[in-house]
mmCIF file with all atom_site columns, all heavy atoms in Angstrom:
data_model
loop_
_atom_site.group_PDB
_atom_site.id
_atom_site.type_symbol
_atom_site.label_atom_id
_atom_site.label_alt_id
_atom_site.label_comp_id
_atom_site.label_asym_id
_atom_site.label_entity_id
_atom_site.label_seq_id
_atom_site.pdbx_PDB_ins_code
_atom_site.Cartn_x
_atom_site.Cartn_y
_atom_site.Cartn_z
_atom_site.occupancy
_atom_site.B_iso_or_equiv
_atom_site.pdbx_formal_charge
_atom_site.auth_seq_id
_atom_site.auth_comp_id
_atom_site.auth_asym_id
_atom_site.auth_atom_id
_atom_site.pdbx_PDB_model_num
ATOM 1   N N   . GLY A 1 1  ? -26.573 2.759  2.223  1.00 94.00 ? 1  GLY A N   1
ATOM 2   C CA  . GLY A 1 1  ? -27.949 3.181  1.983  1.00 94.00 ? 1  GLY A CA  1
ATOM 3   C C   . GLY A 1 1  ? -28.583 3.788  3.227  1.00 94.00 ? 1  GLY A C   1
ATOM 4   O O   . GLY A 1 1  ? -29.238 4.830  3.145  1.00 94.00 ? 1  GLY A O   1
ATOM 5   N N   . PHE A 1 2  ? -28.394 3.131  4.363  1.00 93.00 ? 2  PHE A N   1
ATOM 6   C CA  . PHE A 1 2  ? -28.922 3.703  5.622  1.00 93.00 ? 2  PHE A CA  1
ATOM 7   C C   . PHE A 1 2  ? -28.317 5.093  5.878  1.00 93.00 ? 2  PHE A C   1
ATOM 8   O O   . PHE A 1 2  ? -29.015 6.012  6.274  1.00 93.00 ? 2  PHE A O   1
ATOM 9   C CB  . PHE A 1 2  ? -28.565 2.771  6.794  1.00 93.00 ? 2  PHE A CB  1
ATOM 10  C CG  . PHE A 1 2  ? -29.406 1.526  6.863  1.00 93.00 ? 2  PHE A CG  1
ATOM 11  C CD1 . PHE A 1 2  ? -28.820 0.271  6.791  1.00 93.00 ? 2  PHE A CD1 1
ATOM 12  C CD2 . PHE A 1 2  ? -30.773 1.602  7.006  1.00 93.00 ? 2  PHE A CD2 1
ATOM 13  C CE1 . PHE A 1 2  ? -29.592 -0.878 6.853  1.00 93.00 ? 2  PHE A CE1 1
ATOM 14  C CE2 . PHE A 1 2  ? -31.562 0.458  7.090  1.00 93.00 ? 2  PHE A CE2 1
ATOM 15  C CZ  . PHE A 1 2  ? -30.953 -0.781 7.014  1.00 93.00 ? 2  PHE A CZ  1
ATOM 16  N N   . ALA A 1 3  ? -27.017 5.232  5.627  1.00 91.00 ? 3  ALA A N   1
ATOM 17  C CA  . ALA A 1 3  ? -26.347 6.502  5.894  1.00 91.00 ? 3  ALA A CA  1
ATOM 18  C C   . ALA A 1 3  ? -26.839 7.600  4.947  1.00 91.00 ? 3  ALA A C   1
ATOM 19  O O   . ALA A 1 3  ? -27.038 8.735  5.373  1.00 91.00 ? 3  ALA A O   1
ATOM 20  C CB  . ALA A 1 3  ? -24.825 6.323  5.742  1.00 91.00 ? 3  ALA A CB  1
ATOM 21  N N   . GLU A 1 4  ? -27.057 7.259  3.677  1.00 92.00 ? 4  GLU A N   1
ATOM 22  C CA  . GLU A 1 4  ? -27.506 8.262  2.713  1.00 92.00 ? 4  GLU A CA  1
ATOM 23  C C   . GLU A 1 4  ? -28.904 8.789  3.077  1.00 92.00 ? 4  GLU A C   1
ATOM 24  O O   . GLU A 1 4  ? -29.165 9.994  2.979  1.00 92.00 ? 4  GLU A O   1
ATOM 25  C CB  . GLU A 1 4  ? -27.508 7.678  1.317  1.00 92.00 ? 4  GLU A CB  1
ATOM 26  C CG  . GLU A 1 4  ? -26.108 7.564  0.714  1.00 92.00 ? 4  GLU A CG  1
ATOM 27  C CD  . GLU A 1 4  ? -26.100 6.953  -0.662 1.00 92.00 ? 4  GLU A CD  1
ATOM 28  O OE1 . GLU A 1 4  ? -26.917 6.054  -0.930 1.00 92.00 ? 4  GLU A OE1 1
ATOM 29  O OE2 . GLU A 1 4  ? -25.264 7.365  -1.485 1.00 92.00 ? 4  GLU A OE2 1
ATOM 30  N N   . VAL A 1 5  ? -29.771 7.886  3.475  1.00 93.00 ? 5  VAL A N   1
ATOM 31  C CA  . VAL A 1 5  ? -31.111 8.327  3.869  1.00 93.00 ? 5  VAL A CA  1
ATOM 32  C C   . VAL A 1 5  ? -31.023 9.204  5.115  1.00 93.00 ? 5  VAL A C   1
ATOM 33  O O   . VAL A 1 5  ? -31.691 10.245 5.204  1.00 93.00 ? 5  VAL A O   1
ATOM 34  C CB  . VAL A 1 5  ? -32.047 7.121  4.117  1.00 93.00 ? 5  VAL A CB  1
ATOM 35  C CG1 . VAL A 1 5  ? -33.374 7.579  4.709  1.00 93.00 ? 5  VAL A CG1 1
ATOM 36  C CG2 . VAL A 1 5  ? -32.284 6.344  2.815  1.00 93.00 ? 5  VAL A CG2 1
ATOM 37  N N   . ALA A 1 6  ? -30.179 8.808  6.067  1.00 89.00 ? 6  ALA A N   1
ATOM 38  C CA  . ALA A 1 6  ? -30.018 9.614  7.290  1.00 89.00 ? 6  ALA A CA  1
ATOM 39  C C   . ALA A 1 6  ? -29.493 11.012 6.974  1.00 89.00 ? 6  ALA A C   1
ATOM 40  O O   . ALA A 1 6  ? -29.890 12.006 7.591  1.00 89.00 ? 6  ALA A O   1
ATOM 41  C CB  . ALA A 1 6  ? -29.103 8.901  8.270  1.00 89.00 ? 6  ALA A CB  1
ATOM 42  N N   . GLU A 1 7  ? -28.589 11.125 5.987  1.00 87.00 ? 7  GLU A N   1
ATOM 43  C CA  . GLU A 1 7  ? -28.044 12.422 5.611  1.00 87.00 ? 7  GLU A CA  1
ATOM 44  C C   . GLU A 1 7  ? -29.139 13.344 5.091  1.00 87.00 ? 7  GLU A C   1
ATOM 45  O O   . GLU A 1 7  ? -29.108 14.555 5.335  1.00 87.00 ? 7  GLU A O   1
ATOM 46  C CB  . GLU A 1 7  ? -26.952 12.253 4.540  1.00 87.00 ? 7  GLU A CB  1
ATOM 47  C CG  . GLU A 1 7  ? -25.619 11.732 5.091  1.00 87.00 ? 7  GLU A CG  1
ATOM 48  C CD  . GLU A 1 7  ? -24.551 11.655 4.029  1.00 87.00 ? 7  GLU A CD  1
ATOM 49  O OE1 . GLU A 1 7  ? -24.486 12.613 3.217  1.00 87.00 ? 7  GLU A OE1 1
ATOM 50  O OE2 . GLU A 1 7  ? -23.802 10.668 3.980  1.00 87.00 ? 7  GLU A OE2 1
ATOM 51  N N   . THR A 1 8  ? -30.109 12.788 4.365  1.00 85.00 ? 8  THR A N   1
ATOM 52  C CA  . THR A 1 8  ? -31.182 13.633 3.856  1.00 85.00 ? 8  THR A CA  1
ATOM 53  C C   . THR A 1 8  ? -32.073 14.163 4.971  1.00 85.00 ? 8  THR A C   1
ATOM 54  O O   . THR A 1 8  ? -32.779 15.148 4.803  1.00 85.00 ? 8  THR A O   1
ATOM 55  C CB  . THR A 1 8  ? -32.062 12.853 2.857  1.00 85.00 ? 8  THR A CB  1
ATOM 56  O OG1 . THR A 1 8  ? -32.758 11.792 3.541  1.00 85.00 ? 8  THR A OG1 1
ATOM 57  C CG2 . THR A 1 8  ? -31.211 12.264 1.744  1.00 85.00 ? 8  THR A CG2 1
ATOM 58  N N   . ARG A 1 9  ? -32.016 13.509 6.127  1.00 81.00 ? 9  ARG A N   1
ATOM 59  C CA  . ARG A 1 9  ? -32.817 13.945 7.279  1.00 81.00 ? 9  ARG A CA  1
ATOM 60  C C   . ARG A 1 9  ? -31.988 14.717 8.278  1.00 81.00 ? 9  ARG A C   1
ATOM 61  O O   . ARG A 1 9  ? -32.400 14.922 9.440  1.00 81.00 ? 9  ARG A O   1
ATOM 62  C CB  . ARG A 1 9  ? -33.424 12.714 7.940  1.00 81.00 ? 9  ARG A CB  1
ATOM 63  C CG  . ARG A 1 9  ? -34.357 11.937 7.040  1.00 81.00 ? 9  ARG A CG  1
ATOM 64  C CD  . ARG A 1 9  ? -34.704 10.565 7.600  1.00 81.00 ? 9  ARG A CD  1
ATOM 65  N NE  . ARG A 1 9  ? -35.383 10.682 8.891  1.00 81.00 ? 9  ARG A NE  1
ATOM 66  C CZ  . ARG A 1 9  ? -36.689 10.831 9.051  1.00 81.00 ? 9  ARG A CZ  1
ATOM 67  N NH1 . ARG A 1 9  ? -37.450 10.926 7.966  1.00 81.00 ? 9  ARG A NH1 1
ATOM 68  N NH2 . ARG A 1 9  ? -37.232 10.897 10.231 1.00 81.00 ? 9  ARG A NH2 1
ATOM 69  N N   . GLY A 1 10 ? -30.775 15.141 7.865  1.00 75.00 ? 10 GLY A N   1
ATOM 70  C CA  . GLY A 1 10 ? -29.938 15.963 8.707  1.00 75.00 ? 10 GLY A CA  1
ATOM 71  C C   . GLY A 1 10 ? -29.067 15.197 9.671  1.00 75.00 ? 10 GLY A C   1
ATOM 72  O O   . GLY A 1 10 ? -28.440 15.789 10.565 1.00 75.00 ? 10 GLY A O   1
ATOM 73  N N   . GLY A 1 11 ? -28.977 13.882 9.497  1.00 68.00 ? 11 GLY A N   1
ATOM 74  C CA  . GLY A 1 11 ? -28.136 13.092 10.398 1.00 68.00 ? 11 GLY A CA  1
ATOM 75  C C   . GLY A 1 11 ? -26.786 12.800 9.785  1.00 68.00 ? 11 GLY A C   1
ATOM 76  O O   . GLY A 1 11 ? -26.629 12.776 8.567  1.00 68.00 ? 11 GLY A O   1
ATOM 77  N N   . ASP A 1 12 ? -25.794 12.609 10.620 1.00 62.00 ? 12 ASP A N   1
ATOM 78  C CA  . ASP A 1 12 ? -24.441 12.245 10.175 1.00 62.00 ? 12 ASP A CA  1
ATOM 79  C C   . ASP A 1 12 ? -24.123 10.860 10.702 1.00 62.00 ? 12 ASP A C   1
ATOM 80  O O   . ASP A 1 12 ? -23.374 10.679 11.650 1.00 62.00 ? 12 ASP A O   1
ATOM 81  C CB  . ASP A 1 12 ? -23.408 13.256 10.703 1.00 62.00 ? 12 ASP A CB  1
ATOM 82  C CG  . ASP A 1 12 ? -23.436 14.564 9.952  1.00 62.00 ? 12 ASP A CG  1
ATOM 83  O OD1 . ASP A 1 12 ? -23.899 14.566 8.806  1.00 62.00 ? 12 ASP A OD1 1
ATOM 84  O OD2 . ASP A 1 12 ? -23.015 15.589 10.519 1.00 62.00 ? 12 ASP A OD2 1
ATOM 85  N N   . THR A 1 13 ? -24.717 9.850  10.082 1.00 66.00 ? 13 THR A N   1
ATOM 86  C CA  . THR A 1 13 ? -24.494 8.486  10.535 1.00 66.00 ? 13 THR A CA  1
ATOM 87  C C   . THR A 1 13 ? -23.420 7.794  9.682  1.00 66.00 ? 13 THR A C   1
ATOM 88  O O   . THR A 1 13 ? -23.142 6.620  9.917  1.00 66.00 ? 13 THR A O   1
ATOM 89  C CB  . THR A 1 13 ? -25.775 7.658  10.460 1.00 66.00 ? 13 THR A CB  1
ATOM 90  O OG1 . THR A 1 13 ? -26.198 7.560  9.100  1.00 66.00 ? 13 THR A OG1 1
ATOM 91  C CG2 . THR A 1 13 ? -26.871 8.322  11.290 1.00 66.00 ? 13 THR A CG2 1
ATOM 92  N N   . THR A 1 14 ? -22.846 8.493  8.727  1.00 77.00 ? 14 THR A N   1
ATOM 93  C CA  . THR A 1 14 ? -21.850 7.873  7.864  1.00 77.00 ? 14 THR A CA  1
ATOM 94  C C   . THR A 1 14 ? -20.624 7.475  8.683  1.00 77.00 ? 14 THR A C   1
ATOM 95  O O   . THR A 1 14 ? -20.113 8.233  9.489  1.00 77.00 ? 14 THR A O   1
ATOM 96  C CB  . THR A 1 14 ? -21.424 8.819  6.741  1.00 77.00 ? 14 THR A CB  1
ATOM 97  O OG1 . THR A 1 14 ? -22.549 9.101  5.913  1.00 77.00 ? 14 THR A OG1 1
ATOM 98  C CG2 . THR A 1 14 ? -20.300 8.196  5.902  1.00 77.00 ? 14 THR A CG2 1
ATOM 99  N N   . ARG A 1 15 ? -20.156 6.264  8.435  1.00 87.00 ? 15 ARG A N   1
ATOM 100 C CA  . ARG A 1 15 ? -18.915 5.768  9.046  1.00 87.00 ? 15 ARG A CA  1
ATOM 101 C C   . ARG A 1 15 ? -17.926 5.566  7.912  1.00 87.00 ? 15 ARG A C   1
ATOM 102 O O   . ARG A 1 15 ? -18.173 4.800  6.990  1.00 87.00 ? 15 ARG A O   1
ATOM 103 C CB  . ARG A 1 15 ? -19.157 4.472  9.791  1.00 87.00 ? 15 ARG A CB  1
ATOM 104 C CG  . ARG A 1 15 ? -17.903 3.833  10.399 1.00 87.00 ? 15 ARG A CG  1
ATOM 105 C CD  . ARG A 1 15 ? -18.286 2.655  11.285 1.00 87.00 ? 15 ARG A CD  1
ATOM 106 N NE  . ARG A 1 15 ? -17.119 1.973  11.788 1.00 87.00 ? 15 ARG A NE  1
ATOM 107 C CZ  . ARG A 1 15 ? -16.624 0.841  11.270 1.00 87.00 ? 15 ARG A CZ  1
ATOM 108 N NH1 . ARG A 1 15 ? -17.235 0.271  10.228 1.00 87.00 ? 15 ARG A NH1 1
ATOM 109 N NH2 . ARG A 1 15 ? -15.557 0.245  11.779 1.00 87.00 ? 15 ARG A NH2 1
ATOM 110 N N   . ILE A 1 16 ? -16.817 6.272  7.992  1.00 95.00 ? 16 ILE A N   1
ATOM 111 C CA  . ILE A 1 16 ? -15.807 6.173  6.941  1.00 95.00 ? 16 ILE A CA  1
ATOM 112 C C   . ILE A 1 16 ? -14.623 5.399  7.502  1.00 95.00 ? 16 ILE A C   1
ATOM 113 O O   . ILE A 1 16 ? -14.083 5.752  8.559  1.00 95.00 ? 16 ILE A O   1
ATOM 114 C CB  . ILE A 1 16 ? -15.336 7.596  6.500  1.00 95.00 ? 16 ILE A CB  1
ATOM 115 C CG1 . ILE A 1 16 ? -16.540 8.404  5.997  1.00 95.00 ? 16 ILE A CG1 1
ATOM 116 C CG2 . ILE A 1 16 ? -14.282 7.479  5.421  1.00 95.00 ? 16 ILE A CG2 1
ATOM 117 C CD1 . ILE A 1 16 ? -16.204 9.858  5.709  1.00 95.00 ? 16 ILE A CD1 1
ATOM 118 N N   . VAL A 1 17 ? -14.262 4.340  6.815  1.00 96.00 ? 17 VAL A N   1
ATOM 119 C CA  . VAL A 1 17 ? -13.152 3.473  7.252  1.00 96.00 ? 17 VAL A CA  1
ATOM 120 C C   . VAL A 1 17 ? -12.006 3.636  6.280  1.00 96.00 ? 17 VAL A C   1
ATOM 121 O O   . VAL A 1 17 ? -12.147 3.391  5.077  1.00 96.00 ? 17 VAL A O   1
ATOM 122 C CB  . VAL A 1 17 ? -13.579 1.994  7.349  1.00 96.00 ? 17 VAL A CB  1
ATOM 123 C CG1 . VAL A 1 17 ? -12.448 1.181  7.945  1.00 96.00 ? 17 VAL A CG1 1
ATOM 124 C CG2 . VAL A 1 17 ? -14.838 1.867  8.194  1.00 96.00 ? 17 VAL A CG2 1
ATOM 125 N N   . VAL A 1 18 ? -10.852 4.061  6.785  1.00 97.00 ? 18 VAL A N   1
ATOM 126 C CA  . VAL A 1 18 ? -9.695  4.377  5.959  1.00 97.00 ? 18 VAL A CA  1
ATOM 127 C C   . VAL A 1 18 ? -8.576  3.407  6.291  1.00 97.00 ? 18 VAL A C   1
ATOM 128 O O   . VAL A 1 18 ? -8.234  3.204  7.475  1.00 97.00 ? 18 VAL A O   1
ATOM 129 C CB  . VAL A 1 18 ? -9.186  5.810  6.214  1.00 97.00 ? 18 VAL A CB  1
ATOM 130 C CG1 . VAL A 1 18 ? -8.069  6.155  5.238  1.00 97.00 ? 18 VAL A CG1 1
ATOM 131 C CG2 . VAL A 1 18 ? -10.345 6.800  6.099  1.00 97.00 ? 18 VAL A CG2 1
ATOM 132 N N   . GLY A 1 19 ? -8.017  2.769  5.263  1.00 96.00 ? 19 GLY A N   1
ATOM 133 C CA  . GLY A 1 19 ? -6.811  1.973  5.432  1.00 96.00 ? 19 GLY A CA  1
ATOM 134 C C   . GLY A 1 19 ? -5.599  2.864  5.248  1.00 96.00 ? 19 GLY A C   1
ATOM 135 O O   . GLY A 1 19 ? -5.379  3.450  4.185  1.00 96.00 ? 19 GLY A O   1
ATOM 136 N N   . SER A 1 20 ? -4.802  2.981  6.308  1.00 93.00 ? 20 SER A N   1
ATOM 137 C CA  . SER A 1 20 ? -3.726  3.955  6.339  1.00 93.00 ? 20 SER A CA  1
ATOM 138 C C   . SER A 1 20 ? -2.371  3.291  6.234  1.00 93.00 ? 20 SER A C   1
ATOM 139 O O   . SER A 1 20 ? -1.992  2.454  7.061  1.00 93.00 ? 20 SER A O   1
ATOM 140 C CB  . SER A 1 20 ? -3.805  4.750  7.656  1.00 93.00 ? 20 SER A CB  1
ATOM 141 O OG  . SER A 1 20 ? -2.627  5.471  7.886  1.00 93.00 ? 20 SER A OG  1
ATOM 142 N N   . MET A 1 21 ? -1.626  3.685  5.182  1.00 87.00 ? 21 MET A N   1
ATOM 143 C CA  . MET A 1 21 ? -0.231  3.274  5.074  1.00 87.00 ? 21 MET A CA  1
ATOM 144 C C   . MET A 1 21 ? 0.665   4.377  5.618  1.00 87.00 ? 21 MET A C   1
ATOM 145 O O   . MET A 1 21 ? 0.209   5.529  5.747  1.00 87.00 ? 21 MET A O   1
ATOM 146 C CB  . MET A 1 21 ? 0.070   2.915  3.609  1.00 87.00 ? 21 MET A CB  1
ATOM 147 C CG  . MET A 1 21 ? -0.574  1.601  3.193  1.00 87.00 ? 21 MET A CG  1
ATOM 148 S SD  . MET A 1 21 ? -0.408  1.221  1.437  1.00 87.00 ? 21 MET A SD  1
ATOM 149 C CE  . MET A 1 21 ? -1.856  2.029  0.760  1.00 87.00 ? 21 MET A CE  1
ATOM 150 N N   . PRO A 1 22 ? 1.910   4.086  5.949  1.00 77.00 ? 22 PRO A N   1
ATOM 151 C CA  . PRO A 1 22 ? 2.704   5.013  6.775  1.00 77.00 ? 22 PRO A CA  1
ATOM 152 C C   . PRO A 1 22 ? 2.784   6.446  6.257  1.00 77.00 ? 22 PRO A C   1
ATOM 153 O O   . PRO A 1 22 ? 2.684   7.387  7.026  1.00 77.00 ? 22 PRO A O   1
ATOM 154 C CB  . PRO A 1 22 ? 4.086   4.358  6.803  1.00 77.00 ? 22 PRO A CB  1
ATOM 155 C CG  . PRO A 1 22 ? 3.805   2.898  6.659  1.00 77.00 ? 22 PRO A CG  1
ATOM 156 C CD  . PRO A 1 22 ? 2.622   2.814  5.730  1.00 77.00 ? 22 PRO A CD  1
ATOM 157 N N   . LEU A 1 23 ? 2.915   6.636  4.954  1.00 75.00 ? 23 LEU A N   1
ATOM 158 C CA  . LEU A 1 23 ? 3.182   7.999  4.476  1.00 75.00 ? 23 LEU A CA  1
ATOM 159 C C   . LEU A 1 23 ? 2.023   8.939  4.727  1.00 75.00 ? 23 LEU A C   1
ATOM 160 O O   . LEU A 1 23 ? 2.202   10.129 4.891  1.00 75.00 ? 23 LEU A O   1
ATOM 161 C CB  . LEU A 1 23 ? 3.466   7.935  2.964  1.00 75.00 ? 23 LEU A CB  1
ATOM 162 C CG  . LEU A 1 23 ? 3.796   9.297  2.334  1.00 75.00 ? 23 LEU A CG  1
ATOM 163 C CD1 . LEU A 1 23 ? 4.967   9.170  1.378  1.00 75.00 ? 23 LEU A CD1 1
ATOM 164 C CD2 . LEU A 1 23 ? 2.584   9.865  1.607  1.00 75.00 ? 23 LEU A CD2 1
ATOM 165 N N   . SER A 1 24 ? 0.791   8.401  4.800  1.00 80.00 ? 24 SER A N   1
ATOM 166 C CA  . SER A 1 24 ? -0.377  9.273  4.933  1.00 80.00 ? 24 SER A CA  1
ATOM 167 C C   . SER A 1 24 ? -0.578  9.799  6.334  1.00 80.00 ? 24 SER A C   1
ATOM 168 O O   . SER A 1 24 ? -1.330  10.762 6.528  1.00 80.00 ? 24 SER A O   1
ATOM 169 C CB  . SER A 1 24 ? -1.627  8.492  4.517  1.00 80.00 ? 24 SER A CB  1
ATOM 170 O OG  . SER A 1 24 ? -1.892  7.440  5.425  1.00 80.00 ? 24 SER A OG  1
ATOM 171 N N   . ARG A 1 25 ? 0.081   9.230  7.341  1.00 78.00 ? 25 ARG A N   1
ATOM 172 C CA  . ARG A 1 25 ? -0.267  9.510  8.726  1.00 78.00 ? 25 ARG A CA  1
ATOM 173 C C   . ARG A 1 25 ? 0.235   10.867 9.240  1.00 78.00 ? 25 ARG A C   1
ATOM 174 O O   . ARG A 1 25 ? -0.468  11.519 10.014 1.00 78.00 ? 25 ARG A O   1
ATOM 175 C CB  . ARG A 1 25 ? 0.238   8.390  9.634  1.00 78.00 ? 25 ARG A CB  1
ATOM 176 C CG  . ARG A 1 25 ? -0.421  7.055  9.324  1.00 78.00 ? 25 ARG A CG  1
ATOM 177 C CD  . ARG A 1 25 ? 0.271   5.888  9.975  1.00 78.00 ? 25 ARG A CD  1
ATOM 178 N NE  . ARG A 1 25 ? -0.123  4.629  9.321  1.00 78.00 ? 25 ARG A NE  1
ATOM 179 C CZ  . ARG A 1 25 ? 0.576   3.495  9.420  1.00 78.00 ? 25 ARG A CZ  1
ATOM 180 N NH1 . ARG A 1 25 ? 1.697   3.474  10.104 1.00 78.00 ? 25 ARG A NH1 1
ATOM 181 N NH2 . ARG A 1 25 ? 0.140   2.420  8.820  1.00 78.00 ? 25 ARG A NH2 1
ATOM 182 N N   . PRO A 1 26 ? 1.426   11.345 8.874  1.00 78.00 ? 26 PRO A N   1
ATOM 183 C CA  . PRO A 1 26 ? 1.871   12.615 9.441  1.00 78.00 ? 26 PRO A CA  1
ATOM 184 C C   . PRO A 1 26 ? 1.105   13.837 8.964  1.00 78.00 ? 26 PRO A C   1
ATOM 185 O O   . PRO A 1 26 ? 0.924   14.786 9.724  1.00 78.00 ? 26 PRO A O   1
ATOM 186 C CB  . PRO A 1 26 ? 3.355   12.686 9.044  1.00 78.00 ? 26 PRO A CB  1
ATOM 187 C CG  . PRO A 1 26 ? 3.741   11.299 8.660  1.00 78.00 ? 26 PRO A CG  1
ATOM 188 C CD  . PRO A 1 26 ? 2.485   10.691 8.088  1.00 78.00 ? 26 PRO A CD  1
ATOM 189 N N   . PHE A 1 27 ? 0.641   13.859 7.694  1.00 83.00 ? 27 PHE A N   1
ATOM 190 C CA  . PHE A 1 27 ? 0.058   15.090 7.148  1.00 83.00 ? 27 PHE A CA  1
ATOM 191 C C   . PHE A 1 27 ? -1.268  14.890 6.441  1.00 83.00 ? 27 PHE A C   1
ATOM 192 O O   . PHE A 1 27 ? -2.265  15.545 6.771  1.00 83.00 ? 27 PHE A O   1
ATOM 193 C CB  . PHE A 1 27 ? 1.063   15.755 6.201  1.00 83.00 ? 27 PHE A CB  1
ATOM 194 C CG  . PHE A 1 27 ? 0.505   17.006 5.552  1.00 83.00 ? 27 PHE A CG  1
ATOM 195 C CD1 . PHE A 1 27 ? 0.432   18.193 6.248  1.00 83.00 ? 27 PHE A CD1 1
ATOM 196 C CD2 . PHE A 1 27 ? 0.071   16.971 4.220  1.00 83.00 ? 27 PHE A CD2 1
ATOM 197 C CE1 . PHE A 1 27 ? -0.108  19.337 5.664  1.00 83.00 ? 27 PHE A CE1 1
ATOM 198 C CE2 . PHE A 1 27 ? -0.439  18.120 3.626  1.00 83.00 ? 27 PHE A CE2 1
ATOM 199 C CZ  . PHE A 1 27 ? -0.524  19.302 4.354  1.00 83.00 ? 27 PHE A CZ  1
ATOM 200 N N   . ILE A 1 28 ? -1.311  14.014 5.437  1.00 89.00 ? 28 ILE A N   1
ATOM 201 C CA  . ILE A 1 28 ? -2.488  13.937 4.567  1.00 89.00 ? 28 ILE A CA  1
ATOM 202 C C   . ILE A 1 28 ? -3.751  13.550 5.329  1.00 89.00 ? 28 ILE A C   1
ATOM 203 O O   . ILE A 1 28 ? -4.761  14.238 5.281  1.00 89.00 ? 28 ILE A O   1
ATOM 204 C CB  . ILE A 1 28 ? -2.234  12.936 3.421  1.00 89.00 ? 28 ILE A CB  1
ATOM 205 C CG1 . ILE A 1 28 ? -1.050  13.396 2.565  1.00 89.00 ? 28 ILE A CG1 1
ATOM 206 C CG2 . ILE A 1 28 ? -3.479  12.794 2.549  1.00 89.00 ? 28 ILE A CG2 1
ATOM 207 C CD1 . ILE A 1 28 ? -0.654  12.408 1.486  1.00 89.00 ? 28 ILE A CD1 1
ATOM 208 N N   . LEU A 1 29 ? -3.682  12.443 6.087  1.00 92.00 ? 29 LEU A N   1
ATOM 209 C CA  . LEU A 1 29 ? -4.864  12.018 6.810  1.00 92.00 ? 29 LEU A CA  1
ATOM 210 C C   . LEU A 1 29 ? -5.289  13.005 7.891  1.00 92.00 ? 29 LEU A C   1
ATOM 211 O O   . LEU A 1 29 ? -6.473  13.359 7.988  1.00 92.00 ? 29 LEU A O   1
ATOM 212 C CB  . LEU A 1 29 ? -4.621  10.630 7.429  1.00 92.00 ? 29 LEU A CB  1
ATOM 213 C CG  . LEU A 1 29 ? -5.225  9.445  6.698  1.00 92.00 ? 29 LEU A CG  1
ATOM 214 C CD1 . LEU A 1 29 ? -4.966  8.152  7.461  1.00 92.00 ? 29 LEU A CD1 1
ATOM 215 C CD2 . LEU A 1 29 ? -6.697  9.619  6.438  1.00 92.00 ? 29 LEU A CD2 1
ATOM 216 N N   . PRO A 1 30 ? -4.363  13.465 8.769  1.00 93.00 ? 30 PRO A N   1
ATOM 217 C CA  . PRO A 1 30 ? -4.806  14.447 9.770  1.00 93.00 ? 30 PRO A CA  1
ATOM 218 C C   . PRO A 1 30 ? -5.421  15.694 9.154  1.00 93.00 ? 30 PRO A C   1
ATOM 219 O O   . PRO A 1 30 ? -6.397  16.237 9.662  1.00 93.00 ? 30 PRO A O   1
ATOM 220 C CB  . PRO A 1 30 ? -3.507  14.786 10.528 1.00 93.00 ? 30 PRO A CB  1
ATOM 221 C CG  . PRO A 1 30 ? -2.627  13.608 10.294 1.00 93.00 ? 30 PRO A CG  1
ATOM 222 C CD  . PRO A 1 30 ? -2.945  13.093 8.932  1.00 93.00 ? 30 PRO A CD  1
ATOM 223 N N   . THR A 1 31 ? -4.859  16.169 8.043  1.00 93.00 ? 31 THR A N   1
ATOM 224 C CA  . THR A 1 31 ? -5.368  17.370 7.399  1.00 93.00 ? 31 THR A CA  1
ATOM 225 C C   . THR A 1 31 ? -6.804  17.144 6.888  1.00 93.00 ? 31 THR A C   1
ATOM 226 O O   . THR A 1 31 ? -7.710  17.984 7.103  1.00 93.00 ? 31 THR A O   1
ATOM 227 C CB  . THR A 1 31 ? -4.456  17.789 6.234  1.00 93.00 ? 31 THR A CB  1
ATOM 228 O OG1 . THR A 1 31 ? -3.146  18.050 6.743  1.00 93.00 ? 31 THR A OG1 1
ATOM 229 C CG2 . THR A 1 31 ? -4.974  19.035 5.549  1.00 93.00 ? 31 THR A CG2 1
#
């Protein structure tokens, strides 16, 4: 909720947390 309100005011406060399993690391996640 804090992040969404900040986005409407032009801020990028969103923190995205990704759980990474091995296959995603060489290509999908970096891309």
Side-chain angles (χ1 to χ4, degrees):
F2 285 120
E4 285 179 325
V5 173
E7 284 184 42
T8 66
R9 298 168 60 87
D12 285 337
T13 64
T14 297
R15 177 172 176 260
I16 302 173
V17 186
V18 186
S20 165
M21 287 174 271
L23 182 137
S24 66
R25 297 167 197 160
F27 177 77
I28 299 175
L29 259 183
T31 300

